[in-house]
Amino acid sequence: MIVSKWIQLFLALFALPQALSCSDSATFTFGSYSYNNSRTTRDCAWILKQNVETRRDKWCTYEHEGTAVQDECPSACDLCHLSPSIAPTQQPSRVCVDSTLRLKIPTVGTRPKPFVSRYCSWVGNQDKKNRCALPGVSAACPVTCGACSACKDPDELRFKFKYNGKTMVRNCDFIGRLEKKVYDRCTASDNICRSTCGSC
């Protein structure tokens, strides 16, 4: 029937954003082991290579450095088909504010370390123009850098925050990776990912 086909199309379109939002991390790993004189690193793809159900049962709830494997590998752990929980009625604040989190800012030039760990207050102390030009800084510190009109995530940065009772260092890719956890992760990270969290 024509009506049935329209219903199927509607359901498919409704499910598409959820499917697109549920993807495995391309960089997350959770240990390694030696086998046949070669070293194997466990990542999301490793779960699906063989003995899938056994590996899911054993490893998806395993926590590596404070992060559950299923949070980084939702597709490999077969979680993408689950319906997201009903979103809370509260909406994230849309007030433009600087992040209060400690930022890991990539460095440029000849610095000895690949990043510096600083707060937005450091950005405004001196040499603000150059510091705001560092990767991701203006998006994380929009008030200090005069960037409130740009609704962007500080994609280049990693930041430290507490989530589920644990301190972790993550980026905006982690915040938005699993749709059903976006609200809680945005709240835990003070909406530093303004575009992902809908706070701008």
Side-chain angles (χ1 to χ4, degrees):
M1 294 178 61
I2 296 177
V3 174
S4 178
K5 290 182 178 179
W6 277 109
I7 292 174
Q8 291 176 5
L9 177 60
F10 172 79
L11 292 175
L13 291 174
F14 176 78
L16 181 59
Q18 298 181 36
L20 291 176
S21 67
C22 189
S23 59
D24 292 339
S25 169
T27 58
F28 176 72
T29 60
F30 49 102
S32 61
Y33 62 95
S34 295
Y35 182 72
N36 286 342
N37 296 321
S38 64
R39 196 76 183 168
T40 299
T41 298
R42 299 186 191 94
D43 56 13
C44 297
W46 174 85
I47 296 173
L48 301 174
K49 286 181 179 178
Q50 63 184 34
N51 303 321
V52 177
E53 292 305 320
T54 300
R55 290 184 175 184
R56 281 174 174 167
D57 290 343
K58 181 176 181 179
W59 293 103
C60 284
T61 56
Y62 172 77
E63 290 197 359
H64 179 72
E65 296 182 353
T67 299
V69 171
Q70 63 187 5
D71 286 349
E72 296 287 342
C73 309
S75 180
C77 290
D78 197 29
L79 298 178
C80 294
H81 66 284
L82 299 178
S83 299
S85 57
I86 298 175
T89 55
Q90 308 98 309
Q91 294 295 322
S93 172
R94 296 181 182 272
V95 178
C96 183
V97 295
D98 285 347
S99 173
T100 59
L101 304 181
R102 192 167 185 85
L103 314 172
K104 289 189 174 294
I105 305 169
T107 58
V108 293
T110 58
R111 289 180 179 271
K113 294 184 178 180
F115 64 84
V116 292
S117 184
R118 298 287 188 272
Y119 292 97
C120 284
S121 57
W122 170 83
V123 176
N125 279 344
Q126 61 183 20
D127 197 20
K128 183 169 70 173
K129 181 179 179 180
N130 287 326
R131 290 179 178 180
C132 284
L134 291 171
V137 170
S138 62
C141 312
V143 175
T144 295
C145 296
C148 285
S149 61
C151 189
K152 296 175 59 179
D153 289 344
D155 291 324
E156 304 89 342
L157 299 180
R158 292 168 67 83
F159 39 85
K160 183 184 291 187
F161 64 104
K162 287 188 176 181
Y163 180 59
N164 287 339
K166 298 178 180 179
T167 299
M168 55 179 60
V169 178
R170 295 291 185 271
N171 56 17
C172 288
D173 175 68
F174 170 81
I175 300 298
R177 186 173 299 136
L178 196 57
E179 184 176 355
K180 67 179 181 178
K181 295 190 176 184
V182 168
Y183 183 88
D184 289 342
R185 291 177 178 180
C186 283
T187 301
S189 61
D190 290 336
N191 295 320
I192 185 174
C193 306
R194 297 172 67 222
S195 178
T196 293
C197 298
S199 59
C200 54

